[in-house]
Amino acid sequence: MLPFLTGLGAGLSLIVAIGAQNAFVLRQGLKREAVLPVVVVCLASDAVLILAGVAGIGTLIQGAPVLLAVVRWFGVAFLLAYGVFAARRALRPGVLKAADSPGGGTVWSAVLTAAAITWLNPHVYLDTLVLLGSLANTHGDSGKWLFGAGAAAGSALWFPLIGYGARGLSGFFARPASWRILDGGVALLMLTLAAVLATGA
């Protein structure tokens, strides 16, 4: 069980950090909008990437800098666009009520946004395919799969926690001013991440 617990700790240490994916899941949870599909997309995506890393795909990714560069610039463009939309929401508190949908969004738009935030982030490939994959392979042929299962379990615990746990904050976010603060923070985060990706920091 040690490889499993080690993988669980490693996975959680990477995923708990504030980022675009967590911010989006939190916002969906606060709005109680398409929470289950978004959570499933995020945890399933992480599981696929982690298990691919355990299988050794990370080695191939490290040898394909062009692929990472393409994903990087798509990620920059997506984060910039999402940041601008979040800033617009922050400046228009009249539409920032928990019962409203963001721009008339649907379940499919939420799912596609969650998928884009996950798969257009080059750091997710470095974290899952390369870092977690490398750590997993230090546990031998049998232990590496337990490590991968533990890391994937971290995602399976974290995303439902922030997606459904956000409902506990619904009273605070019943006020438009609270949504202004949240969306302002999300806009700042997305634009900062876009700048970090663009500069290669």
Side-chain angles (χ1 to χ4, degrees):
M1 285 301 290
L2 182 59
F4 180 89
L5 294 176
T6 304
L8 177 64
L12 284 173
S13 68
L14 291 174
I15 200 173
V16 169
I18 296 173
Q21 192 182 45
N22 285 342
F24 181 71
V25 175
L26 177 63
R27 191 172 201 283
Q28 293 300 117
L30 288 168
K31 293 176 70 66
R32 301 182 185 185
E33 187 175 276
V35 179
L36 180 60
V38 165
V39 165
V40 169
V41 166
C42 291
L43 66 86
S45 296
D46 274 14
V48 168
L49 289 165
I50 290 167
L51 295 179
V54 173
I57 303 299
T59 304
L60 298 178
I61 294 295
Q62 284 180 301
V66 173
L67 177 60
L68 281 178
V70 170
V71 172
R72 172 185 170 192
W73 288 108
F74 270 110
V76 168
F78 181 82
L79 289 171
L80 281 173
Y82 195 88
V84 169
F85 286 130
R88 287 180 59 190
R89 289 195 304 264
L91 294 172
R92 299 171 58 191
V95 299
L96 298 177
K97 298 176 182 176
D100 293 340
S101 61
T106 63
V107 171
W108 279 111
S109 67
V111 165
L112 291 174
T113 300
I117 285 175
T118 301
W119 292 91
L120 292 180
N121 177 9
H123 290 300
V124 76
Y125 298 102
L126 298 176
D127 287 348
T128 56
L129 295 182
V130 178
L131 180 56
L132 290 178
S134 298
L135 290 173
N137 280 280
T138 65
H139 292 275
D141 289 339
S142 58
K144 69 180 184 180
W145 294 108
L146 284 174
F147 180 97
S155 296
L157 289 172
W158 177 250
F159 288 118
L161 178 64
I162 61 172
Y164 289 101
R167 295 184 179 185
L169 299 172
S170 59
F172 175 73
F173 282 97
R175 299 190 298 270
S178 300
W179 282 100
R180 173 178 286 180
I181 293 170
L182 175 67
D183 280 321
V186 168
L188 181 61
L189 173 64
M190 299 297 179
L191 296 175
T192 300
L193 289 174
V196 169
L197 280 182
T199 58

